[in-house]
Amino acid sequence: MSLLSSVKSPADLRKIPAADLPLLAEEIRGFLIDAVTRTGGHLGPNLGVVELTIALHRVFDSPYDRIVWDTGHQSYVHKLLTGRQDFSKLRVRGGLSGYPSRAESEHDLVENSHASTALSYADGLAKAAQLLGQHDRQTVAVIGDGALTGGLAWEALNNIAEARERPLVIVVNDNERSYAKTVGGLANHLATLRTTQGYERFLALGKGALQRTPLVGQPIFDALHGAKKGFKDAFAPQGMFEDLGLKYLGPIDGHDPAAVEQALRQARGFGGPVIVHCLTVKGRGYRPAEQDEADRFHAVGPIDPYTCLPISPSGGVSWTSVFGEEMVALGADRPDVVAITAAMLQPVGLAKFAKAYPERTFDVGIAEQHAVTSAAGLATGGLHPVVAVYATFLNRAFDQVLMDVALHRLGVTFVLDRSGVTGPDGASHNGMWDMSILQVVPGLRLAAPRDADQLRAQLREAVGVPDAPTVVRFPKADIGPAVPAVERIGGVDVLLRTGELPEILLVAVGTTAAACLDAAALLLAEGFTATVVDPRWVKPVDAALPVLAAAHRLVVTVEDNGRTGGVGAAIAQALRDAGVDVPLRVLGLPQEFLGHGSRGEILEETGLTGTGVAAQTAVFAKHLLPIRGANQRHAG
């Protein structure tokens, strides 16, 4: 029986002799490499926290002691040590989530997959324990150095430091990376800490030598002791944390189980806020990951663990890659175009732009709010910034989009990758909120391209707007074939007409175009004629849409966004404002947190495939169009 299989709970882990912990760590790494290369998932981050997680669960008594992970993609080892060792369906419908999940285990307190939030959660948890008299209950936040580039983390630190007698342990998992290399002043600060481990030893040796010097030794030492703060700032800038009122322990070898455990026990007994700074290696124990400079196998699809080649290579071209190539071309044509991202240069497709135009590329770390307002400054200074982030992460910077960009009528383009249904990453990563949230921003223009040609064209149209924010959104998927228009009316592309006098207007938003074309063919077989249109720019609503709607008897809008307050709702308002009294129905994602599963599974379950759109539209039509005129097939 392996050591890992004997661990059903943290209590079992604490029974394992310390001498056997290196063997347990080796078994865990072997398990992760075998399991995650089969299913895909976050491999590199978890290989780096094996010993750290073992130590956490030996020192702290979860779930009574609360351990909060920031971000949750580094929680796979935590899952293994809390009784979840079936990874056969990791991130697959019916299997384990790739993040902490309250539905899975009482050990998962926060379903945390947006970075820089754990310290605020921990601050609240520690306050709650204090107010409820739970003085023996510990609160632990595990945060990566990348997440410390987020402003929310520093807001939390400022508050945590205020209560110097409130126990709270902050473990900084410092692997020099978020996705790629961590950037910014904080990264430089931590790098300095990594290189000054001899500081305390230096002071101790100096003290001993001086105190042994007759007559002058003690006065000199006293003077130097008074200047300790200056020495500390010069030789070991942990003084920054201590100036906040936070006890600092480290740097500690995060792969030495005994050292980490000892530091955590010291922190547990301190009685106030403590930072435990652990140095780890992302991808530890798996040579291909350790040697991958891009992101140390941060996230992988199913791959062969020996060759590292995809098990099922994609035969298509991704939306992200098309955007990346067009950005390089735009950079050549427009010297004023600059690119900004928030610690995701490679995932959002900006790596080629950064290589071609390094001086025009800014990775601000996990700081979406700063990215947006910095873009506002760049635009005010005469440039046109393109801010590329995941759709779900723009939510975090809504105020900056509204008040810093839109209010000042600045030409900033936002490119939202992973919009709509993302799938395996689950509720927090589905980009299903942007077209609802952004509807309220005055002057903002939002494009949802249906194919590669439209992505290229609409990106160029977006950066051509000098006096308003623009948005271009697309999913995490392979791009399908081109969908040509048969006609353009105003700014609206007509994709298909299935009759001389079509009854149903299908408004296809972005990538739903293919599903709507399939639905139109299925509806024709049922005796319903339709026009399929792509509005291209879905905000503001094109003036041609109410005119088109007035020529039909039913309007159905289809979007891969939440149904509440999205494109369908905006079109309904536009029809009312234009006095067009045609029934309208909205198809979109249910306004709920969708569990993890494949993109195809979720689209099918939510009725956004061709079959699903046709079936729902047919029900609407049969109910709303009882009198069919010349076509009597469904008269009643």
Side-chain angles (χ1 to χ4, degrees):
M1 184 178 188
S2 68
L3 284 173
L4 178 57
S5 62
S6 71
V7 178
K8 307 300 182 185
S9 71
D12 295 328
L13 174 65
R14 290 189 282 272
K15 296 175 185 176
I16 295 176
D20 290 340
L21 295 180
L23 177 58
L24 174 62
E26 184 179 342
E27 288 184 9
I28 289 173
R29 285 196 171 89
F31 178 96
L32 290 174
I33 293 167
D34 179 67
V36 180
T37 56
R38 291 174 188 268
T39 62
H42 291 94
L43 182 56
N46 289 285
L47 292 173
V49 296
V50 175
E51 291 86 0
L52 173 57
T53 310
I54 290 172
L56 281 166
H57 279 296
R58 283 172 63 86
V59 173
F60 297 98
D61 183 20
S62 176
Y64 184 71
D65 291 336
R66 276 84 166 257
I67 301 174
V68 182
W69 296 87
D70 187 336
T71 61
H73 64 238
Q74 59 182 331
S75 65
Y76 291 9
V77 185
H78 163 77
K79 288 176 185 270
L80 289 173
L81 299 178
T82 53
R84 289 165 282 175
Q85 297 184 9
D86 181 3
F87 274 45
S88 61
K89 292 185 176 180
L90 178 69
R91 294 168 21 109
V92 174
R93 183 60 54 86
L96 291 178
S97 167
Y99 295 93
S101 169
R102 292 158 71 103
E104 285 180 10
S105 173
E106 62 181 346
H107 296 277
D108 292 2
L109 192 64
V110 174
E111 300 190 4
N112 191 19
S113 51
H114 282 195
S116 310
T117 60
L119 297 182
S120 295
Y121 277 115
D123 177 55
L125 286 165
K127 288 173 179 173
Q130 185 179 59
L131 289 171
L132 295 173
Q134 299 168 344
H135 302 299
D136 61 336
R137 194 169 205 177
Q138 297 288 320
T139 304
V140 184
V142 185
I143 184 167
D145 61 313
L148 279 176
T149 61
L152 180 60
W154 290 91
E155 293 176 27
L157 283 172
N158 184 55
N159 282 270
I160 289 167
E162 184 181 23
R164 302 197 177 197
E165 296 182 357
R166 183 183 299 133
L168 199 162
V169 177
I170 301 166
V171 178
V172 177
N173 172 31
D174 179 6
N175 59 22
E176 305 181 57
R177 289 175 172 266
S178 45
Y179 277 74
K181 292 279 290 184
T182 307
V183 298
L186 177 72
N188 295 333
H189 170 80
L190 292 176
T192 305
L193 292 179
R194 284 191 290 271
T195 60
T196 55
Q197 296 179 54
Y199 164 74
E200 296 293 346
R201 185 167 62 253
F202 163 78
L203 283 188
L205 289 171
K207 175 180 178 180
L210 286 170
Q211 288 185 329
R212 288 193 299 271
T213 304
L215 300 177
V216 297
Q218 188 62 43
I220 292 175
F221 172 75
D222 290 342
L224 290 177
H225 186 70
K228 178 181 178 182
K229 176 67 169 63
F231 273 120
K232 206 158 199 176
D233 285 346
F235 289 98
Q238 63 258 40
M240 180 178 73
F241 294 119
E242 293 182 343
D243 285 347
L244 283 172
L246 299 168
K247 180 66 177 175
Y248 174 91
L249 298 176
I252 295 153
D253 181 356
H255 300 298
D256 181 338
V260 179
E261 197 168 319
Q262 179 183 6
L264 291 176
R265 291 191 188 282
Q266 287 179 312
R268 179 186 178 105
F270 179 66
V274 185
I275 285 183
V276 180
H277 181 190
C278 294
L279 308 182
T280 63
V281 176
K282 191 173 183 178
R284 169 89 169 197
Y286 186 34
R287 186 172 296 275
E290 291 183 9
Q291 294 179 340
D292 177 45
E293 279 304 309
D295 65 4
R296 301 285 175 88
F297 283 25
H298 178 85
V300 298
I303 60 173
D304 183 298
Y306 301 103
T307 66
C308 300
L309 296 174
I311 298 297
S312 301
S314 170
V317 176
S318 72
W319 286 88
T320 304
S321 65
V322 172
F323 161 68
E325 291 167 2
E326 192 61 22
M327 273 295 292
V328 174
L330 260 175
D333 296 343
R334 291 273 304 267
D336 63 322
V337 168
V338 296
I340 304 176
T341 190
M344 291 188 176
L345 197 70
Q346 187 81 25
V348 299
L350 285 177
K352 289 183 179 179
F353 186 91
K355 184 176 181 180
Y357 311 106
E359 74 286 353
R360 290 158 57 187
T361 306
F362 305 97
D363 184 346
V364 301
I366 302 177
E368 291 86 359
Q369 292 175 301
H370 169 69
V372 174
T373 303
S374 178
L378 284 161
T380 302
L383 300 173
H384 192 105
V386 176
V387 181
V389 294
Y390 288 6
T392 184
F393 295 148
L394 189 69
N395 303 350
R396 314 184 82 186
F398 171 76
D399 182 68
Q400 286 68 38
V401 173
L402 180 68
M403 293 298 177
D404 299 335
V405 178
L407 176 64
H408 297 92
R409 298 177 178 85
L410 296 172
V412 177
T413 294
F414 298 94
V415 174
L416 305 186
D417 202 322
R418 273 70 165 175
S419 70
V421 172
T422 298
D425 282 323
S428 64
H429 276 56
N430 287 317
M432 56 179 285
W433 322 103
D434 57 294
M435 291 199 293
S436 297
I437 292 172
L438 296 174
Q439 286 293 335
V440 303
V441 179
L444 182 140
R445 308 180 195 185
L446 197 158
R450 65 180 181 267
D451 60 22
D453 292 340
Q454 289 301 306
L455 171 54
R456 296 186 187 98
Q458 290 179 278
L459 178 61
R460 287 183 175 268
E461 291 169 24
V463 299
V465 176
D467 57 355
T470 53
V471 179
V472 180
R473 73 186 307 262
F474 50 79
K476 180 184 181 182
D478 287 343
I479 264 184
V483 181
V486 297
E487 183 182 0
R488 180 168 291 180
I489 301 175
V492 177
D493 279 353
V494 178
L495 307 182
L496 179 69
R497 289 191 182 91
T498 61
E500 290 293 328
L501 296 171
E503 300 164 290
I504 302 168
L505 179 66
L506 283 175
V507 182
V509 175
T511 57
T512 68
C516 288
L517 290 172
D518 290 344
L522 293 170
L523 287 167
L524 184 61
E526 288 287 310
F528 296 105
T529 55
T531 303
V532 180
V533 298
D534 170 15
R536 300 183 73 250
W537 289 86
V538 296
K539 176 178 164 43
V541 176
D542 194 282
L545 269 176
V547 177
L548 281 163
H552 294 76
R553 303 178 65 201
L554 169 65
V555 178
V556 177
T557 65
V558 187
E559 60 192 289
D560 57 343
N561 182 75
R563 293 179 63 241
T564 303
V567 177
I571 293 174
Q573 182 66 52
L575 265 59
R576 289 192 294 271
D577 290 348
V580 177
D581 189 20
V582 175
L584 182 146
R585 295 293 182 268
V586 176
L587 299 183
L589 297 171
Q591 213 68 50
E592 60 191 49
F593 294 108
L594 303 174
H596 60 280
S598 73
R599 174 174 162 81
E601 285 174 330
I602 295 173
L603 290 173
E604 184 171 0
E605 291 169 4
T606 54
L608 295 182
T609 61
T611 303
V613 171
Q616 294 174 86
T617 301
V619 170
F620 299 150
K622 290 173 184 177
H623 175 68
L624 295 168
L625 308 179
I627 301 173
R628 303 295 306 281
N631 185 348
Q632 295 295 323
R633 181 170 176 178
H634 295 282

